[in-house]
Amino acid sequence: MSLRDSLMYHLNVSLLGHGALRIQRIKAQMTMNRQGWWHHEHLNPPPVTSAWLKELISRHYLKGRWITGTQKVAWVTSGAPIEFLKALGYYLIYPENHGAVCGIRRVGDEKCKVAEHAGWSRDICSYARTDIGTILSGKTPVGKLPKPDLLVCCTNICQTVLYWYQVLAQQFKVPLILIDTPFLYSKAPEHALDFVEKQIQYAIETAEKVAGVSMEPKRLRHVTELSHDAVDLWNRIMHTGRARPAPFLAFDEFIHMAPIVEMRGDQATVDYYRALLAELEARIKNGTGALKEEKKRVLWDNLPIWFVVRKFGNLLASRGVALVASTYTNAWGELADLIDPHHPIESMAKCYIHPILNRGTGQKLQTMKTMIEDYEVDGVLLHSDRSCKPYSIGQMDQQSILLKQLGIPALLLEADHNDSRVLSWEQSENRLQAFFEVLGV
Amino acid sequence: MSDPLNIPSRKEVLSDYQSSGQDFVAVYPIHYHRALLRAHDLMPVELWGPSQYSTTSADAHLQAYTCSVVRCGLSFALDGGLEKARAIIVPHSCDSLQGLGSVFLDFIQPKTPVLTLYVPRGRREMDVEFFARELMALDKSLAKITGKRPSEKMLHSFIDNEQKADSAMEAVLNNRIRIPMSNRQFYELMRTRQYVAAEKFEKLARDTLESMQQDNRTDCSHKLVISGLVPEPAELLSVMDDAGLTVVWDDTACIGRRIYPETDDADPYVRMARSILGAPPDSALGSSVEARLAHLLDLTRNKQAQGVVFWSVKFCEPELFYLPQLSRGLELAGIRTLLLEVDISEPASAQVQTRLEAFAESLT
């Protein structure tokens, strides 16, 4: 660590940055607490805690902008076990989360085109294209992404991440840790659990070497505890959607999930989710829903279509349709019980082999059925995401079973999570209007 | 060029199996160990498509952005093409084949048992250990179907046979430039490894080597390496013949990337696992770009190839991710590259043929 880097970091991040962001948050919260500040025909005001979220995310990326030379940086896949990296003091970047930021800011296409111009096919994942385009262009809406010292790729969300991280490894010439999680067509076999546990142990050894520090078991336990608490709180936040009217929608979850993906294992994440949960519980008590009038309730399947999240939300709200839950955000909460701070490595192996995307399509249908009951859902929207085959393959059968066996209206929408060129909004809107008619709104 | 070898077609072989009462297993791409099936007296018959097969039946289950190898393969099964197989094996090779295995097990549930096999993406000792246990689990599942419990000795004996066949395949590839066969015939021969017994393939390969010329062929104006998943539609091989392009090495997942090295572990499962994970660099085995590039550079140099044709199946992410960095590395070394993108459910388009012809001209 150089003295200059350290000084610049503390000046720009700890002193100026944090202060400025805190002032922004206080100002935003003051505005949100003022009567009559909110004007929307169909939606109630967002939780005041939202201003805190903005501060958290901005702080994270601000830190990244000045981190080089002060802390080791790891780029990790969104489903990877990160507790050991946090415990070793790594600063983490999640290219998928950054991809989502680009999608929301509607610069995803621009980044994809840079990657395509350099030879990457339009048929590969748009998150990967966004990331490669960001690296090649050096431009990002978050200011600057620090270069990695280490890459950590866990295949529990897809195999795509492995090819993507091989591209990154070639680009950055840094070590790549692979945590290969055998896909579970049914119950996890013992040898698969052993395999994942061994890989996590090996990953810790590699990460220790790169960081030049040794793991302190106490520190790992503490980070795992924080991780467990954050996941548990996230789960409870999502469960508030079971109330009628729902105080929080899946559209809100898409935005508020950033800390659970990106800052799991941080005290700030636990504090933030605790405050958000308290505010949502108060809303339930007051009978304040996210929609001014909730007529029907719908479940979402697959990744969001980032570049139209707001537009989509407004369209549903205009018909009184509340998107009360999503299988996607649920994935970061459903495994809370598997995290055991007293057995961090064994429990990591168990937890990280079990995400929804690493389980069979029949198991995903079962999750949907449970959520339909728990959230008293009237219909299901399945996003057939061209960029995410593991999530999308199986949806045609799932839709058919939902419709024919359960009598639940289910619509399959063709789109992409980050490439707006794939979506025909007019066609989708027409299909949604027909879906609303089936729902009777 | 004639066909003195009488290369048996897949249809003929399947017909022989059925008339002789020989049980067979349908195996989807890519990596598995044939010896394990042979020890259960099951003949593996691989399913790389079939090429130019209608995807209509699969379209009710799989989105159009799923690769055509998987869509054709599912259609073929749904249309009753695998009814006579004793089992269907779906190795976990990519997200699409993962989805296929899961859709089979969870929704389609065919009468024929469906078995899966997770192929690890690393080549560490722990990957070998895991894969050995995975092969052992597959052995147990096969035992439930066949009622057989192959001994270790029997497994070793079948592994020996497969190693001999792989070694013969490598020898044929190494001598390709002296074998008077068109690209089309050559690939017909090489692809018999996907459905004939190892012993039969070894004989075909040895017969081919006996018939080869003393010197290199003089009719090869341009030498090529092809890299990709599967060389379909096969008529493109004829286009290569007509354009004076000769394939001197194969780096496809169905042939060259499955020339497994010899292994001698005492435990037959470890031996099989180590052999598969010792295969040449392959996207489906999670190889690094660096390893794949070094391999292609070695091949092109050793075989004095002037170009590499990346023969890619549309929507095949494992292959598509590597292409820009591989192409750049090869071009920097003076090796010309061409990307052909095909949908194996369709015949080769005139556009693809024209690109191949133009590529041949550019090598002149």
Side-chain angles (χ1 to χ4, degrees), chain B residues 227-229 257 282-283 292 312 316-323:
Chain B
S227 178
L229 195 65
R257 293 185 205 163
D282 182 6
S283 56
R292 287 201 57 201
S312 178
C316 177
E317 271 199 339
E319 288 296 297
L320 290 171
F321 264 98
Y322 289 81
L323 296 184

Side-chain angles (χ1 to χ4, degrees), chain B residues 78-111:
Chain B
L78 292 170
D79 295 345
L82 307 183
E83 269 171 9
K84 290 185 177 143
R86 280 298 297 277
I88 298 168
I89 295 182
V90 189
H92 189 292
S93 307
C94 62
D95 290 329
S96 298
L97 278 156
Q98 166 188 299
L100 176 73
S102 190
V103 166
F104 260 136
L105 288 166
D106 295 334
F107 301 126
I108 296 171
Q109 299 174 338
K111 281 181 200 156

Side-chain angles (χ1 to χ4, degrees), chain A residues 13 15 29 55 100 106 128 137 146 158-159 195 210 250 266 279 308 326 363 381 391 397 399 405 415 421:
Chain A
V13 180
L15 203 66
Q29 283 178 333
E55 184 194 358
R106 295 191 197 151
S137 67
C158 59
Q159 293 298 317
F195 179 45
V210 173
D266 287 356
E279 190 178 357
V308 288
S326 104
Q363 294 183 61
L381 284 171
Y391 220 133
D397 286 286
Q399 181 201 24
Q405 290 182 12
R421 295 165 294 175

